[in-house]
Amino acid sequence: MQQTWRVSLVGRVFGIVVLVLAGIVASTIVVSGLDLASKVVPVVLLSGLAAFAYVNALRPSITLTSSELVIRNKLRTYRIDLNTIVRVDAGYYGIGLQTRHGQVVHGWAVQKSNLARWLGRHTRADLVVEAIEKEAKAGAECGDVSQAPAPLARQREP
């Protein structure tokens, strides 16, 4: 079983719109009658805007398989064995998890707003946490007992 979560549909659509508009404006500047020196700075700035939209809206994802969790953030990808996960929670910075080796990783693709946390609302981020916990527990039950992690601990909400 493989399941992937990405940035929300609204976030991805916004990122695509920014990419398309940046491309249109950059191509208009390139074909305009301006001299080369006048074209370079706006095209470089628009390219930076397009790159920013891509890494924030289109690249991040969290993929859960039966044996590992693949977290693809803005600039880095983490591959974490499910047997090493000891804690998972949803928060403002994304899906946070801690491994038994002490590594802490946040998956930025799915986040839980502070307002939802304060009001105790069940969000998409909570569903992702539950899916990760369920798969980690299933792997621990089916796998070797000597490699099974300690039971998953959830962070208490204030």
Side-chain angles (χ1 to χ4, degrees):
M1 178 200 82
Q2 181 172 337
Q3 199 168 3
T4 300
W5 295 274
R6 298 188 176 280
V7 174
S8 70
L9 180 61
V10 173
R12 285 181 290 165
V13 168
F14 181 74
I16 290 169
V17 167
V18 169
L19 282 173
V20 169
L21 289 177
I24 290 170
V25 172
S27 61
T28 304
I29 291 171
V30 168
V31 298
S32 69
L34 298 173
D35 61 341
L36 181 63
S38 301
K39 293 177 184 179
V40 171
V41 172
V43 170
V44 168
L45 290 175
L46 287 168
S47 298
L49 177 65
F52 182 79
Y54 172 75
V55 299
N56 283 290
L58 301 175
R59 188 176 193 288
S61 69
I62 299 173
T63 302
L64 176 65
T65 66
S66 59
S67 62
E68 71 178 350
L69 185 66
V70 180
I71 297 177
R72 196 168 76 171
N73 285 336
K74 295 176 185 181
L75 301 175
R76 188 166 178 192
T77 300
Y78 300 91
R79 299 179 96 70
I80 301 165
D81 187 14
L82 288 178
N83 290 333
T84 63
I85 297 174
V86 293
R87 187 177 65 93
V88 182
D89 64 340
Y92 180 75
Y93 292 107
I95 304 299
L97 60 94
Q98 182 178 4
T99 67
R100 71 176 128 173
H101 308 296
Q103 181 183 20
V104 176
V105 178
H106 291 278
W108 298 338
V110 181
Q111 297 146 352
K112 183 172 185 171
S113 70
N114 286 336
L115 180 62
R117 178 173 258 185
W118 295 331
L119 297 176
R121 291 192 178 153
H122 197 73
T123 64
R124 182 172 79 119
D126 295 313
L127 296 175
V128 174
V129 167
E130 291 167 4
I132 293 169
E133 288 176 341
K134 179 181 174 186
E135 197 65 36
K137 286 179 184 177
E141 291 171 0
C142 295
D144 184 13
V145 176
S146 64
Q147 294 183 4
L152 292 174
R154 268 203 134 151
Q155 183 178 6
R156 288 189 327 208
E157 295 192 23

